[in-house]
Amino acid sequence: MSQAKKGLPGLSASLKDKLIQQALQRKLRQAGQEQGSRSVPLAPARKGNISEEFYRFDMHPGYRQLRIMNEGAARMGVRSPFFKLHEGTAGADTRIGGKSYVNYASYNYLGMSGDPVVQAAAREAMERYGTSVSASRLVSGERPIHRELEQALAELYDVDDAVAFVSGHATNVSVIGYLFGPRDLILHDEFIHNSVLQGAQLSGARRLPFAHNDWAALDAILDEQRHQFERVLIVLEGLYSMDGDFPDLPRFVEIKRRHKAFLMVDEAHSLGVMGKRGYGIREHFGLAGKDVDIWMGTLSKTLAGCGGYIAGEAALVEHLKFLAPGFLYSVGMPPAVAAASLAALRRMQEVPERVAALQARGRFFLQHARAAGIDTGSSAGLAVVPAITASSLKAARLSAALFEHQINVQPILYPAVPEQTARLRFFISCLHSESQLTRTLEILSKII
């Protein structure tokens, strides 16, 4: 019998895990390199001599990567932590498989998804306008609820206007991809969301990342590069969803003004979380709405709906409503979704105590996690707190162990993050109790 079949005798369990994990990573890198090498056009194949991998989905490099990860996890006895079936509203608590869990895997920061006022607004809109507007808004899909939502968002940011898209991811892809082109430059934080990267790729502009939250590094790049391009876009996030930290926005505002660039801030995770009233990173720093050229955000987190939005000057918004493909060629947002997000925004303004409770719970969790020796990275304790494990296998096993204690938290694994920063990611809600947070940290500390 070969040594492989004997199960690597003489090695400790931890060393076996490490060796298996390294082998998986090598296979993933090889699959990625093979996929990258095929970006170079191949010589035309002779008639009848097309390789199977070019017309079979089960041989696609991406699918092969997925199989490698799944099979490796199965060999190490780790069940998939993904696609868990939630059986009701997911807030600070949720039901999975008929059992109740403390839930740290939802963006329902202010408990607006499930709020009776928000649900009533959605029902009323559905009864009045139907389940779909059945057309692009430009032609016959426009409804009063769309404009009410957009006007409320514009007022929130103290800017001219806003426009709502049916997808948050597509908002960044379509807006960046449309507004910028091959003679332009897009500079973004190295930890920026995938949607921004996809938008930059679509635009054809040159794309350069800068070190996370490092305004001085951005300034240096602009000193060297600005004169070579027409338009320059700088893209940041208000609150980074992997690390729970945020940029020194006033510094970036000063830099964009000096270099005559556009500044875009993605507030997907900072709206409802930062600022005394939950108005986001602008309120946190006391900035004017017009200090940022493009405010972007999502409706799927604090605002309990689905979709994205852009807020800014009238020329920007009017331009996007008539010409941005992701808006122009897409059906209008379902009335119930627009109404739910509008109601959630108004509820946030009516119950600022929820914002205060969220911020207090986030600080509590962060302080006690650090006191317990858990690596929380650069988190500011504003709704997002990672527990960095430096091992995908360890993160997956910790997630599974916590699930056995009826605590639901998702692992973030390689290649979604570098292996040395694999983690559990805790999303804190205003509805979490201190006793839930304390119990979670006690259990995590014992098994970590």
Side-chain angles (χ1 to χ4, degrees), residues 141-365:
E142 189 85 340
R143 300 293 184 272
I145 196 68
H146 294 136
R147 292 304 301 137
E148 290 177 43
L149 172 62
E150 290 164 347
Q151 288 163 7
L153 288 166
E155 290 172 6
L156 184 80
Y157 284 99
D158 193 22
V159 293
D160 296 340
D161 206 351
V163 55
F165 291 70
V166 293
S167 160
H169 190 281
T171 301
N172 278 337
V173 173
S174 189
V175 169
I176 296 172
Y178 173 70
L179 290 177
F180 299 91
R183 292 192 291 270
D184 301 330
L185 173 65
I186 296 173
L187 299 165
H188 61 81
D189 190 287
E190 64 178 329
F191 292 165
I192 206 70
H193 193 264
N194 170 269
S195 56
V196 171
L197 303 181
Q198 295 294 315
Q201 183 178 7
L202 178 63
S203 74
R206 186 178 183 195
R207 178 180 67 82
L208 291 174
F210 55 87
H212 182 50
N213 283 337
D214 191 340
W215 55 267
L218 170 68
D219 198 20
I221 293 172
L222 285 165
D223 279 337
E224 181 181 325
Q225 299 280 339
R226 176 64 184 96
H227 66 282
Q228 301 179 36
F229 298 92
E230 293 181 356
R231 297 174 188 84
V232 173
L233 174 68
I234 302 162
V235 193
L236 315 171
E237 292 184 31
L239 186 72
Y240 287 87
S241 63
M242 288 292 181
D243 293 274
D245 59 0
F246 55 88
D248 184 348
L249 189 55
R251 290 280 194 178
F252 287 94
V253 170
E254 188 276 325
I255 288 170
K256 78 97 181 178
R257 284 177 176 159
R258 182 156 38 84
H259 291 283
K260 295 179 171 58
F262 293 108
L263 177 60
M264 179 177 186
V265 178
D266 180 337
E267 285 231 276
H269 290 272
S270 48
L271 181 67
V273 171
M274 297 183 72
K276 185 175 181 180
R277 298 168 296 173
Y279 283 25
I281 192 169
R282 180 178 77 88
E283 183 180 40
H284 178 86
F285 282 108
L287 297 174
K290 293 184 179 180
D291 287 338
V292 169
D293 303 284
I294 307 174
W295 290 105
M296 180 273 170
T298 56
L299 305 175
S300 56
K301 300 170 180 68
T302 289
L303 298 185
C306 188
Y309 61 85
I310 295 290
E313 65 176 277
L316 167 70
V317 173
E318 183 178 5
H319 188 182
L320 295 176
K321 289 179 76 170
F322 277 91
L323 293 171
F327 182 86
L328 175 61
Y329 298 110
S330 178
V331 70
M333 183 178 292
V337 173
S341 292
L342 176 60
L345 191 157
R346 289 173 174 164
R347 285 289 285 158
M348 181 183 78
Q349 295 168 327
E350 293 167 359
V351 287
E353 60 269 22
R354 292 195 192 184
V355 177
L358 169 65
Q359 294 171 353
R361 297 294 184 273
R363 287 193 300 269
F364 180 92
F365 190 84

Side-chain angles (χ1 to χ4, degrees), residues 129-137 140-143 145-146 330-335:
Y129 301 115
T131 56
S132 172
V133 298
S134 306
S136 167
R137 284 177 59 186
S140 62
E142 189 85 340
R143 300 293 184 272
I145 196 68
H146 294 136
S330 178
V331 70
M333 183 178 292

